[in-house]
């Protein structure tokens, strides 16, 4: 619950990563943190669809930002 940033290249090339859970405390995802994670299909975000728009996504996180299904678990979603 205290995670605020996922660092640069943190999960890059994790070919077996299919799902990830993101706490609402997260505010930044570093460059290429999820680059080349071809199996990443589901992101569970413990915030709302409005809060996720404030998440700072650096370059190279297209799968996380656009291609994976994002499931919202926030109070307002």
């Amino acid at each position: 619950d205290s995670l605020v940033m996922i660092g640069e290249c943190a999960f890059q090339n994790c070919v077996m990563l299919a799902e990830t859970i993101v706490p609402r405390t997260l505010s930044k995802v570093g460059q290429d943190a999820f680059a080349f994670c071809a199996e990443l299909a589901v992101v569970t975000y413990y915030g709302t669809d409005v809060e996720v728009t404030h998440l700072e996504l650096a370059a190279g996180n297209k799968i996380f930002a656009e291609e994976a299904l994002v499931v919202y678990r926030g109070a307002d979603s």
Side-chain angles (χ1 to χ4, degrees), residues 3-51:
L3 181 69
V4 294
M5 183 178 141
I6 295 174
E8 185 176 309
C9 302
F11 297 99
Q12 184 178 35
N13 295 312
C14 287
V15 295
M16 300 301 290
L17 181 65
E19 182 175 353
T20 189
I21 298 171
V22 179
R24 92 180 323 147
T25 56
L26 186 71
S27 61
K28 182 177 181 178
V29 178
Q31 184 170 337
D32 295 324
F34 291 93
F36 309 109
C37 295
E39 296 299 315
L40 182 58
V42 179
V43 175
T44 301
Y45 177 67
Y46 278 86
T48 66
D49 55 345
V50 173
E51 290 171 322

